[in-house]
Amino acid sequence: MAHYKCTYCSFQYNEWHGDTKNGVPQGTSYSALAGTLCSRCGLQGERHKRQSNPKYAGLEAKYYDFFVGKAGNAFYRDWVLQSDKLPNVLDLGTGTGRFALELSNFGIPITGVDWSSEMLAVARKKVERMNKEVNFIEEDALTFNQNERYSHILLTDGFFQHFTTVLEQKELLARIRKHLKEDGFVAIDLVIPPTNPTWKVQQRKQVTNQKTIYYTVEGTTALHGQLIHYTATYEGFREGVCQSKYRVERELSLLTPRELIYLLMLEGFFVLDMVENYQPNIKLSETMKIPEINYRPAYLGVNDTLELKSDEINKGILKPYQLDSWNEGGYPFGVSAFEQSHPTKWTIIAKSK
C-alpha cells in the first residue's frame, strides 16, 4: 500500500483508502488506476511520486518521550560500553535523542541524524539542559553522507521499517556500510505488531495535575503487501475538556527477524545476534558479551557521593538511587512483557565483514 501524489496537478491517491468519489474500493493498487481517475494526467508518467511517511511533528514530537519510555536505554548503553576502545556512535532516526543523551552521559562521541526539525528541537533542549555534547544533524538518512566512520550505528524504534520498499532498504544498508568502521557494529530494531489483522492500542499519560494526554493507535497488518498501516491520534485534555488534537497516518514495512537477517547477509553483513524486547534470550557470541559496569548517576561529579541517612532509609522515607529500575515503554505500539497480544520488538545485531 502506498500514497502517491502528482507533481503537476497535485492529484493524490492512497491505496489504503481507495477513492469513494470514483468508485475505487479500498486496497486497490496504484498500478490498476492508469487513466481511470485523473483525466488531466491520466495517472501515467514519472510525475506521480510515491510519498514518504510524514515527519514527526506537532503533538507527536512534543509528547514522544512520554510514550516511548525508557525501553532499550539500558540495553544499548551496555552494548556500546562493552567496546574495548572508546566508541563513536551514529544514531540514525535519533528523534528526541533519548539514546544519544544516555550515551553522552558516559562521554561517548555521538552523532544523531533525523529529518524532523521539531524532534531535533526537543533533543537539543534536553542536551542543553543536561549540559552534554551531541552532534545533531537534520537530514534524510538516505542522503546522509559524512567522511567519518563509526564503531556503532543504531536504527532504533522501528526506524528501518519506515523505508517500505526493498530498494530503499538496500540503499539504506549500503549507506550504513559506507559509514561503518572495519569490524564495526550495527543494531536494527524491528517492531512486530499485534497478531490480529486489525488492532488498537491506547495509552494515557498525566502531564500535569490538570492536563492528560490520550494516545491511540489503530492499525492494520497487511500480509500480502508486507506492510503495517496505522493511525496515531493524540488528544490533550484539561479538566475533562479537549484542548488539542493531532492525527497522523503512517505505513511501516512488515519484516520478520529472519527476513532482515537474510537481507543483511545479502548486503554484506555478518549477523551476530537477535534479541527480543531488549532481553537477551540467545547466547551472545564471545565478541558481544556485555561486562558488568559500575554505573554512577549522570548528575554526580567525580568526587560526589550519594549520602542517605540510615534512619531515613529504614523508615522508608528515602531509597538509594537505582539505575534501570524501570525500562518499560516502546513506540509506536508499546511493548509489554506481560501481555502476549501486545507487539514485540526484535533487535538484530550485525557487523561489517
Side-chain angles (χ1 to χ4, degrees):
M1 300 296 173
H3 177 207
Y4 292 85
K5 183 177 180 180
C6 178
T7 57
Y8 177 65
C9 71
S10 298
F11 172 82
Q12 297 188 54
Y13 178 72
N14 191 318
E15 293 178 347
W16 287 98
H17 304 311
D19 190 325
T20 305
K21 177 182 177 182
N22 291 286
V24 180
Q26 295 180 0
T28 303
S29 68
Y30 170 79
S31 61
L33 299 179
T36 62
L37 292 182
C38 179
S39 58
R40 187 172 186 179
C41 290
L43 286 176
Q44 298 175 10
E46 295 182 357
R47 57 193 175 199
H48 289 88
K49 301 295 183 181
R50 184 186 179 107
Q51 301 299 294
S52 302
N53 279 308
K55 297 180 181 181
Y56 285 69
L59 295 184
E60 186 173 36
K62 183 176 182 180
Y63 294 114
Y64 178 86
D65 284 343
F66 281 87
F67 295 97
V68 74
K70 291 189 174 183
N73 280 22
F75 174 82
Y76 278 115
R77 180 199 62 219
D78 292 355
W79 177 60
V80 172
L81 286 176
Q82 62 85 41
S83 179
D84 294 334
K85 300 179 181 179
L86 178 65
N88 63 326
V89 179
L90 174 63
D91 185 13
L92 290 177
T94 190
T96 59
R98 68 190 187 97
F99 292 119
L101 186 59
E102 179 76 20
L103 293 173
S104 69
N105 288 334
F106 297 89
I108 296 174
I110 183 163
T111 298
V113 177
D114 205 288
W115 72 340
S116 170
S117 59
E118 293 189 40
M119 292 286 271
L120 288 179
V122 175
R124 291 188 175 106
K125 285 182 180 179
K126 291 196 295 184
V127 168
E128 182 179 356
R129 185 170 64 248
M130 298 294 291
N131 195 27
K132 302 297 179 181
E133 290 187 10
V134 178
N135 178 30
F136 288 118
I137 299 175
E138 184 180 342
E139 191 171 348
D140 188 338
L142 291 180
T143 60
F144 176 74
N145 189 21
Q146 298 284 314
N147 294 325
E148 186 174 2
R149 286 176 171 259
Y150 301 88
S151 64
H152 296 73
I153 297 181
L154 313 181
L155 291 83
T156 61
D157 294 335
F159 176 72
F160 185 83
Q161 293 165 269
H162 283 269
F163 303 89
T164 55
T165 67
V166 175
L167 183 63
E168 288 177 334
Q169 292 167 359
K170 294 178 68 176
E171 184 179 347
L172 181 59
L173 290 176
R175 198 156 293 271
I176 290 171
R177 195 170 58 249
K178 177 182 177 181
H179 288 88
L180 204 57
K181 287 182 178 178
E182 185 177 352
D183 291 329
F185 300 100
V186 59
I188 301 176
D189 282 348
L190 285 184
V191 176
I192 309 299
T195 54
N196 297 328
T198 59
W199 35 265
K200 184 175 182 179
V201 178
Q202 291 182 305
Q203 298 183 59
R204 181 182 68 178
K205 299 295 179 181
Q206 194 78 26
V207 180
T208 66
N209 290 337
Q210 293 81 30
K211 189 173 184 179
T212 305
I213 303 298
Y214 290 83
Y215 169 57
T216 305
V217 182
E218 298 180 85
T220 301
T221 303
L223 294 178
H224 65 277
Q226 286 194 286
L227 289 171
I228 306 164
H229 180 265
Y230 72 90
T231 301
T233 304
Y234 292 79
E235 297 174 289
F237 285 81
R238 187 179 295 274
E239 297 182 347
V241 179
C242 184
Q243 303 288 322
S244 56
K245 189 172 183 176
Y246 182 86
R247 187 182 180 112
V248 63
E249 285 188 83
R250 285 201 175 84
E251 64 179 15
L252 303 178
S253 177
L254 178 62
L255 283 168
T256 65
R258 191 177 296 273
E259 288 172 329
L260 178 56
I261 287 173
Y262 289 151
L263 182 58
L264 284 166
M265 293 172 63
L266 289 172
E267 295 304 309
F269 293 88
F270 179 74
V271 177
L272 295 168
D273 200 11
M274 52 190 291
V275 177
E276 184 179 16
N277 289 343
Y278 306 120
Q279 301 295 323
N281 54 5
I282 300 175
K283 186 177 181 181
L284 292 171
S285 66
E286 291 298 319
T287 58
M288 294 302 297
K289 284 186 177 178
I290 298 173
E292 293 184 2
I293 300 174
N294 184 22
Y295 294 112
R296 295 172 55 80
Y299 55 81
L300 290 181
V302 176
N303 298 318
D304 293 331
T305 59
L306 265 178
E307 294 184 359
L308 295 177
K309 296 180 180 179
S310 58
D311 59 333
E312 292 179 332
I313 296 177
N314 293 333
K315 293 177 181 178
I317 299 174
L318 295 175
K319 294 182 179 180
Y321 179 83
Q322 291 180 301
L323 191 67
D324 307 331
S325 292
W326 307 100
N327 280 294
E328 285 294 296
Y331 201 87
F333 314 127
V335 173
S336 175
F338 304 105
E339 297 183 49
Q340 294 183 354
S341 61
H342 265 56
T344 60
K345 186 172 288 183
W346 285 90
T347 302
I348 310 301
I349 298 174
K351 66 182 297 186
S352 57
K353 290 184 179 180

